[in-house]
Amino acid sequence: MSEIVSVSGGPTKPEIIAVSLSKLGLRDGDRFADVGCGTGSVSIEAAKIARNLTIYAIDAREEALLATETNFKNFNIANARLLAGEASDILGSEDFIDSIDCAFVGGTKNIDSVIRILVEKKARSIVVNAVRIETVVRTIEAMKKLDIFDEVVHISVSRSAPIAGETMFKPENPVYIVVGKTKN
């Protein structure tokens, strides 16, 4: 199996991806936006869950897009478009598709605009991962304004590590998973 090519701030840990994607509720044939795609690891796992998924991987960082492109090739991810730039500009562009079924947001720049545009694009579910409390608060407020806020899940993961011939646990940074769903 291939290893994920990494960039600063990623990849998202497998346990966080698992919970995030379970909250997203992917369906076969969905149009999926991976906003702030980083390494593309969330898209790679999403493609394992839903058949015929169309992926729009968006990131403003060139290093992230290069890592995602490499990872998509290594993991045979088809039907994916890599889009360079600020998510709010790309999603709001007239050249972009008219609807998205669901979105994972790992990059939180312009979070208010990104969430608003995703709702305008008829996203039935939006999952935002955040590590900063201020981002969590802004995300909750934006989702409540749009009447899509569902819940926040706080996840702490610890990994085993050797110590003096035995095993201890080292904590990873906790992550907040903010979930928005349309009321359809």
Side-chain angles (χ1 to χ4, degrees), residues 86-98 117 121:
E86 290 300 323
S88 55
D89 294 338
I90 290 170
L91 292 168
S93 166
E94 288 183 19
D95 297 333
F96 193 69
I97 61 170
D98 60 351
I117 294 166
K121 298 281 183 182

Side-chain angles (χ1 to χ4, degrees), residues 5-184:
V5 173
S6 191
V7 294
S8 63
T12 302
K13 301 294 185 251
E15 298 83 1
I16 304 304
I17 293 173
V19 174
S20 296
L21 291 179
S22 76
K23 297 295 182 181
L24 203 56
L26 288 166
R27 300 177 190 160
D28 292 347
D30 270 352
R31 290 178 171 185
F32 170 65
D34 185 352
V35 179
C37 64
T39 63
S41 59
V42 173
S43 289
I44 290 166
E45 293 304 314
K48 293 176 184 177
I49 293 171
R51 290 180 305 218
N52 303 317
L53 192 67
T54 301
I55 298 168
Y56 299 91
I58 303 167
D59 208 297
R61 300 171 299 153
E62 185 177 339
E63 69 167 336
L65 292 168
L66 290 172
T68 298
E69 182 178 35
T70 300
N71 289 327
F72 282 2
K73 284 179 186 170
N74 290 344
F75 286 86
N76 299 314
I77 300 301
N79 213 17
R81 283 184 54 197
L82 272 65
L83 303 164
E86 290 300 323
S88 55
D89 294 338
I90 290 170
L91 292 168
S93 166
E94 288 183 19
D95 297 333
F96 193 69
I97 61 170
D98 60 351
S99 69
I100 286 287
D101 297 303
C102 48
F104 171 84
V105 183
T108 54
K109 188 172 184 180
N110 302 321
I111 192 69
D112 300 50
S113 297
V114 168
I115 292 170
R116 179 184 47 76
I117 294 166
L118 288 167
V119 168
E120 289 170 3
K121 298 281 183 182
K122 302 172 184 72
R124 72 172 179 277
S125 61
I126 302 167
V127 169
V128 178
N129 280 192
V131 295
R132 296 179 302 218
I133 280 294
E134 293 82 1
T135 302
V136 174
V137 170
R138 278 196 309 276
T139 302
I140 292 169
E141 289 173 350
M143 287 183 174
K144 283 185 174 180
K145 265 188 227 174
L146 296 164
D147 196 32
I148 64 163
F149 176 73
D150 187 50
E151 68 177 328
V152 178
V153 179
H154 177 252
I155 301 207
S156 296
V157 173
S158 296
R159 295 192 187 288
S160 61
I163 182 170
E166 296 187 352
T167 305
M168 66 174 276
F169 282 91
K170 286 187 172 185
E172 300 278 349
N173 289 331
V175 175
Y176 295 88
I177 299 172
V178 188
V179 182
K181 295 189 184 274
T182 57
K183 310 293 188 232
N184 297 349

